[in-house]
């Protein structure tokens, strides 16, 4: 059984980006620059954004973190986004989700210039993804594709089950796996909370991508021997024995499923790290596209 180690695969992506950034510096060019907006102080969001900023710095990118109070109104947030859209030194913009109730996430996503939309959530970029055009691929599915590529996982002709149909993970993942790509060409079944026969479907799968946010949901009796298991889930589960008072749990019952799988991602240390790798790749792509234009 192969552990699909996010640390190793993400380090390889970061290393190639570091080399490119050093090359840019040697040519006297500016660095790729990511701006991240964090609204409020949700613990998980704080952790994700801090990690994104840290990884930018480690890769040699510039980063700007804009912190806004959770009482901010929608118009003020949109105006901050418009400023970043027209700021020539910013290549990529991300707004950490979720946002407070008074703000429409959809309006925020649509306010970001599609050419700076490094999260790949803007409808224009989603449309391009569906049509197989060059675009920003949402960072988590992108990271999973990079992970499959790094470990040379054969996907062509395989049956992939994606559990979860969100715009940020499940749906784009299903599109990528079914696309005519090196790590695509799967027959894909996308499952969700109204899928009645999930266990039977999973038992047919060569690849399972679990992205539903239910800790330990995928158990060994749902997995065909030799399947490849990608665990996207990140849920904080209370644990008084842990230093922080909680532990991060994935959507897969790792210990028991690992005994049947041919390859599996751990949580933590799997897809989460690849998400950041996907974001960094998108930021470099945004920089290069703007430098070309
Ligand atoms: P979401 O809540 O937007 O979507 C969950 C999906 O799961 C829905 O489509 C729903 O229909 C489906 N679902 C829920 N219960 C189900 C059930 N019993 N059977 C089948 N389908 C069911 O969640 P999301 O934003 O897509 O995130 C999913 C998980 O992935 C969460 O744990 C989240 O924290 C994690 N996540 C991880 C990363 C990463 O970098 N590793 C990135 C994004 C999200």
């Amino acid at each position: 059984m192969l552990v699909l180690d996010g640390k190793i695969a993400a380090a390889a992506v970061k290393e190639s980006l570091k080399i490119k950034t050093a090359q840019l510096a040697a040519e006297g060019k500016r660095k790729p620059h990511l701006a991240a907006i964090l609204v409020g102080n949700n613990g998980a969001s704080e952790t994700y954004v801090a990690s994104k900023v840290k990884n930018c710095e480690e890769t040699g990118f510039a980063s700007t973190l804009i912190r806004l109070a959770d009482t901010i109104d929608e118009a003020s947030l949109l105006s901050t986004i418009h400023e970043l859209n027209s700021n020539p030194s910013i290549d990529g913009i991300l707004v950490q989700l979720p946002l407070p109730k008074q703000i429409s996430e959809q309006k925020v996503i649509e306010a970001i210039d599609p050419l700076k939309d490094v999260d790949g959530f803007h409808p224009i970029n989603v449309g391009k993804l569906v049509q197989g055009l060059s675009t920003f691929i949402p960072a988590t599915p992108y990271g999973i594709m990079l992970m499959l590529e790094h470990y040379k996982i054969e996907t062509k002709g395989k049956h992939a089950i994606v559990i979860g149909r969100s715009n940020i993970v499940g749906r784009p993942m299903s599109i990528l796996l079914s696309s005519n790509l090196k790590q695509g060409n799967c027959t894909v079944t996308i499952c969700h909370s109204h899928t009645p026969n999930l266990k039977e479907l999973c038992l047919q799968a060569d690849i399972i991508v679990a992205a539903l946010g239910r800790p330990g949901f995928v158990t060994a009796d749902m997995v065909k021997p030799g399947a490849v298991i990608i665990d996207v889930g990140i849920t904080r589960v209370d644990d008084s024995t842990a230093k922080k008072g909680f532990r991060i749990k994935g959507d897969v019952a790792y210990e028991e499923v690992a005994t049947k799988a041919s390859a599996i991602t751990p949580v933590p240390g799997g897809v989460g790290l690849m998400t950041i790798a996907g974001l960094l790749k998108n930021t470099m792509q945004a920089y290069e596209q703007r430098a070309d234009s």
Side-chain angles (χ1 to χ4, degrees):
M1 194 274 302
L2 174 66
V3 176
L4 303 173
D5 189 328
K7 236 184 250 165
I8 293 172
V13 172
K14 271 171 68 180
E15 194 47 41
S16 75
L17 290 172
K18 252 189 198 171
I19 292 167
K20 264 195 188 178
T21 315
Q23 181 99 34
L24 292 170
E27 292 167 11
K29 294 185 175 152
R30 66 176 184 85
K31 304 165 171 186
H33 190 165
L34 175 75
I37 301 179
L38 175 61
V39 183
N41 39 24
N42 171 287
S45 294
E46 291 260 5
T47 309
Y48 298 148
V49 171
S51 176
K52 288 169 186 175
V53 167
K54 180 169 156 268
N55 275 274
C56 276
E57 282 159 12
E58 286 170 2
T59 313
F61 291 5
S63 65
T64 298
L65 171 58
I66 299 168
R67 287 176 162 275
L68 301 170
D70 63 0
T71 50
I72 192 167
D73 59 274
E74 191 177 272
S76 305
L77 175 56
L78 293 177
S79 131
T80 303
I81 293 169
H82 292 141
E83 278 167 30
L84 295 171
N85 283 343
S86 52
N87 181 340
S89 76
I90 301 289
D91 300 297
I93 302 168
L94 77 82
V95 179
Q96 186 65 44
L97 302 178
L99 291 169
K101 284 194 177 62
Q102 73 274 19
I103 298 171
S104 153
E105 287 189 355
Q106 194 57 29
K107 273 195 197 165
V108 166
I109 287 168
E110 292 185 22
I112 297 172
D113 179 346
L115 295 174
K116 295 189 177 186
D117 170 38
V118 288
D119 261 336
F121 296 159
H122 193 290
I124 287 183
N125 288 324
V126 177
K128 287 184 174 177
L129 180 74
V130 172
Q131 295 197 346
L133 302 172
S134 168
T135 185
F136 297 114
I137 302 168
T140 300
Y142 191 13
I144 293 170
M145 296 303 274
L146 293 169
M147 168 85 95
L148 295 173
E149 188 183 334
H150 181 87
Y151 283 101
K152 298 186 171 55
I153 302 289
E154 181 60 69
T155 56
K156 192 161 88 181
K158 306 284 183 190
H159 184 193
I161 299 269
V162 178
I163 314 175
R165 59 178 167 187
S166 73
N167 288 339
I168 65 167
V169 191
R171 197 173 300 280
M173 191 72 240
S174 70
I175 292 163
L176 287 164
L177 286 172
S178 67
S179 295
N180 187 6
L181 297 167
K182 199 160 155 236
Q183 255 61 44
N185 289 311
C186 291
T187 302
V188 179
T189 304
I190 182 158
C191 302
H192 45 77
S193 46
H194 298 279
T195 303
N197 52 341
L198 196 65
K199 183 177 169 185
E200 288 70 23
L201 289 167
C202 284
L203 280 167
Q204 297 169 25
D206 304 303
I207 300 169
I208 297 178
V209 180
L212 68 159
R214 302 268 184 280
F217 181 88
V218 176
T219 46
D221 61 336
M222 297 166 75
V223 173
K224 182 168 91 170
V228 173
I229 309 294
I230 308 293
D231 189 352
V232 185
I234 297 182
T235 305
R236 288 183 173 198
V237 177
D238 290 343
D239 182 345
S240 57
T241 66
K243 223 169 148 190
K244 293 179 180 164
F246 64 85
R247 279 188 201 286
I248 300 294
K249 292 273 180 200
D251 287 343
V252 175
Y254 184 90
E255 298 299 334
E256 59 178 75
V257 171
T259 63
K260 283 182 102 177
S262 63
I264 185 167
T265 62
V267 177
V271 172
L273 299 172
M274 296 312 295
T275 294
I276 293 185
L279 173 70
L280 295 173
K281 291 260 293 179
N282 278 342
T283 304
M284 178 60 91
Q285 185 185 320
Y287 172 90
E288 288 176 337
Q289 283 171 359
R290 295 184 65 241
D292 283 355
S293 61

